[in-house]
Amino acid sequence: MQRCQIITPQKLNTSKTLLAAALSSILFSVSSAAYAQQAAEQDDTEVIMVTAQKRQQNIMKVPVVVDSVSADTLKKTNSILLSDIDKFVPGFDFSDSNMTQAGISMRGISSPNISVGGDPSSATFFDGVYMPRAAQNVLFSDIARIEVLKGPQGTLFGRNAAMGVVNIMPNAPENDDRGFVKAVLGTDNLRRYELMANKALTDTFFVRVNALVNTQDGLAENIYQAPWNSGTKEWDPGAKDHNAARISIKWLLSDDTDLQLSYDYDDLEQAPPIEIGVSQWAYGGGKDLFSGKVENDVRNGVESRDMYAYTAKLNHQFDDQLSLAYTISYRDWKTVNREDEDGTKDITRYFDTSNNEDSSIFYQELQLNYVSDKVNVVGGFSYSNEEVTQTSELNLTADSAARFVTGSLNEEIKGTIAAQIADMIQVDAFGGDADAAAQNAFGPGATFAGVVDNYYQSAGFPIDHLWDANAWAGALNALGFGDAIMGLIGMGGMPLTGDVVTATGNVTYDIVAQQMGIAEIFGPSYSGQFWEESINNTGDFTNWGVYLDADWSLNDKWNILAGLRYSRDAKDFSWYIPMTSFAKLRPGVDNILFPMTKDDKGNSAPILASDSWDKITGRLVAEYQVNNDHMLFASFSTGYKAGGYDSLVVSSAQQPFKPEDTTNFELGYKGIAFNSLRTTASIYHLQLDNRQRSISSKAPDSSTAVPTIINGDTTINGLELGLEWAVTSSLNLGLVTEYRDSDEEWEEFYNEEGTFVPSEKNSRKASNNYTLRADWIPDIGSGTTTIHVDYTFVENTNADEVGLEEYKKAVTAYFKDTQDLNARISWESSDDQFEVALWSKNLLDKRYVTGLGGLTASILGTPVATINRGREVGIDLTYHF
């Protein structure tokens, strides 16, 4: 929980400051236990119930680190996505710049999930059901609360909970007749409409319906209309169109048994992820990323997801001690994510990617709960089967494909020139010392590389693009091909010029392609045609686990919790890379980005892989209840994330990812001092082995950078602190912050510029960060007025990136600290029927580059940036019935 006021919005200067503040808070709160126990005032703090341990408990009595974001906080902050509420939870971050490939970061560990063959390190559950990669980013419509559990949660949640769990809990139907309609209107034509209605049809049968529609214009205008998009919708960057609906029924079959059935629908069709060009070929030369204008030419760019789910939940109470809960669910989704990768309108630098997924998951869990005076035991079995199909497309125009071929041809010709010069100056006679041979032939100070460069440049190379007629003619003449080509086209004795190249169209290119045996050299008549390469994946993933967890009360002070789980994952996966679509237009061309997959006989065929992993994980927790207001705990827990495959790297068929293993030691405190100051604090030491990290890598044998998974080991030491102070019955202040340092060792890799980054150990500290919060309910004599303010500061640490590329260093906005101020003031009528609110997000109008890079940064010199939206203001109108 959070605090505002008193602490001014400034950078927390050192990690020692954070550590000292947290420890002093713990000591102060514990020492005040006697005073709190004797206080006559009524406790003004709110009791928050959670199901973090698959039991309903008071959050302050749960001996694990769990943060809960309530429905009230969601309303006060206009939050509809996990990325809206991560600031209220220390150690938790959710990036949704790519809605269908969003990523959780828990205690600094992100979840590389661009690959359907892998899994996130932190699990997401919705209404008790596991949510895979592209399904996890759902709209908050009629949500009761969001629980965030940090640290390994392998015992109770099992699958892929190595770093933690996000548990989204929607409201269930209830025995009541009520509802509301709400409209949110704001900047950039924001239009958000929400409906909820709950109806008790009988004393035992209830229905609840909710729906949310969210649309908003982009944060910049795309002023370029690409010729291939004529007559089709072109999205402005950042434009939103996301809708969700849910209907659920609850049937009280008897006094001891109830059944809940629900249907969820999610429809997303909006702008692809924000790509603002940074290069000289982008709008305005890429100099002002916040100009409000872009020139993107992506063909049929869109991010869409069509998803639905059926869920059934059965609860039965056998007696006062034994109960059963059974959940079964089926979820299906289809996604398309076609985005611009170059951020320009330059047809010779066109590059887009599209991730298209068609997946489904069947999930079921059976849980038994036994409760007595001394013991609370939860045990059960879970099973899931996921079937996935993914196509990853890389699309170029023939114009940009020719630029790729130009680069390869330049390198090949330079290599040929080097070989000819080496033979001419007799490098072998000098024992292979090329510089010595160069000095002998050309005089003191000469170097072999310098001589090669001189010859190379005098021959007209490197040429920028094959279709530059003058450059092409000059290069052919310098290489001695000009006369022969002119003879072949019936113009012998005349010089080969740019005008001749232009007049003859494809002829000179076809002659060279035939003579050199390179079909990928082709002429300008193919301009505007598309060159597509794709990787097609299928997967069949099965997971099951059995678990047992017991909470044993030794006495009124001490509790011991212990649990074990056995998990097993099996994955069948495949890769199929066909011939480029351009081969239909120009037979004989080969793929230039991804090599085709072939069988042992050289025929086009898929590559198949299969593997399985299993693990026993567990936890041991000691809880000491100082009194009713203060609790200390110490825990040891382990977590597990299944191994898997890189959908873009076929070689992972033989070398699949190793499972991630986590081991965590934690000391924690939860307490309420003076009946008004709620404190949660923890200190932890976590070891993560075989960590999977997603990078953009350009290997020496690759013509482009591609998302790739590398492995490493990480040790993390950290501290998390949350304070909530009920200053008066009408004023509540809060603070959340964290301190974290990590020691990391990664395997060697090539960065997106193709620079080799050796394996090395490095240490890094988490950015200083905190969120301050204030909620005030002033008495104005009519209705209820509520004022909410929150401020978030995050120190920028991008300069500490391992292998930081040079072009990133030139973008100053990439290194700015985050300062985010939000506010909302609302008035609700005395009969609670009407509510109106004014609000603002990013009140300070701070602009940042939140992401920088892209697949074309090195190969086409066209990096792209993701930016935030500027100041937003708006109004809420709500009617309750």
Side-chain angles (χ1 to χ4, degrees), residues 409-618:
L409 188 62
N410 283 333
E411 292 177 6
E412 183 173 337
I413 290 175
K414 188 172 186 178
T416 301
I417 291 174
Q420 292 173 344
I421 292 175
D423 184 61
M424 179 181 68
I425 63 177
Q426 299 180 341
V427 170
D428 291 343
F430 290 84
D433 188 336
D435 285 340
Q439 291 183 35
N440 178 70
F442 301 103
T447 64
F448 182 76
V451 171
V452 171
D453 283 340
N454 286 335
Y455 273 81
Y456 182 64
Q457 292 170 17
S458 66
F461 291 96
I463 57 175
D464 179 63
H465 195 283
L466 286 176
W467 296 350
D468 182 329
N470 290 326
W472 178 244
L476 293 179
N477 286 325
L479 291 173
F481 298 153
D483 291 342
I485 290 175
M486 293 302 287
L488 287 172
I489 62 176
M491 300 176 66
M494 299 179 62
L496 175 60
T497 65
D499 290 338
V500 173
V501 170
T502 301
T504 56
N506 292 348
V507 172
T508 60
Y509 299 94
D510 290 339
I511 291 173
V512 174
Q514 183 177 9
Q515 294 297 316
M516 298 185 67
I518 304 176
E520 291 75 29
I521 297 176
F522 50 86
S525 70
Y526 292 96
S527 178
Q529 301 294 323
F530 279 87
W531 177 302
E532 176 188 308
E533 296 184 24
S534 66
I535 298 182
N536 302 275
N537 306 109
T538 62
D540 190 335
F541 310 146
T542 300
N543 167 271
W544 63 269
V546 291
Y547 61 92
L548 183 68
D549 189 77
D551 184 346
W552 182 25
S553 177
L554 301 179
N555 51 48
D556 60 354
K557 294 289 187 181
W558 286 96
N559 274 42
I560 299 295
L561 290 84
L564 286 175
R565 184 186 190 104
Y566 173 78
S567 300
R568 187 178 190 279
D569 288 270
K571 294 186 177 184
D572 297 323
F573 202 68
S574 74
W575 299 257
Y576 175 60
I577 305 176
M579 176 69 73
T580 171
S581 62
F582 197 71
K584 296 178 181 178
L585 299 177
R586 186 164 177 88
V589 299
D590 201 353
N591 291 4
I592 60 177
L593 301 173
F594 291 123
M596 293 174 57
T597 53
K598 299 178 180 180
D599 59 21
D600 294 339
K601 297 180 180 179
N603 299 316
S604 176
I607 302 297
L608 308 178
S610 181
D611 209 337
S612 63
W613 305 266
D614 62 351
K615 187 76 174 182
I616 294 176
T617 55

Side-chain angles (χ1 to χ4, degrees), residues 327 834 853:
T327 300
F834 296 96

Side-chain angles (χ1 to χ4, degrees), residues 58 183 428 530 784 879:
N58 182 339
D428 291 343
F530 279 87
T784 302
Y879 171 70

Side-chain angles (χ1 to χ4, degrees), residues 621-640:
V621 184
E623 172 192 347
Y624 178 68
Q625 198 73 39
V626 179
N627 55 35
N628 287 334
D629 294 321
H630 301 276
M631 182 258 285
L632 300 170
F633 66 88
S635 69
F636 167 78
S637 58
T638 60
Y640 157 79

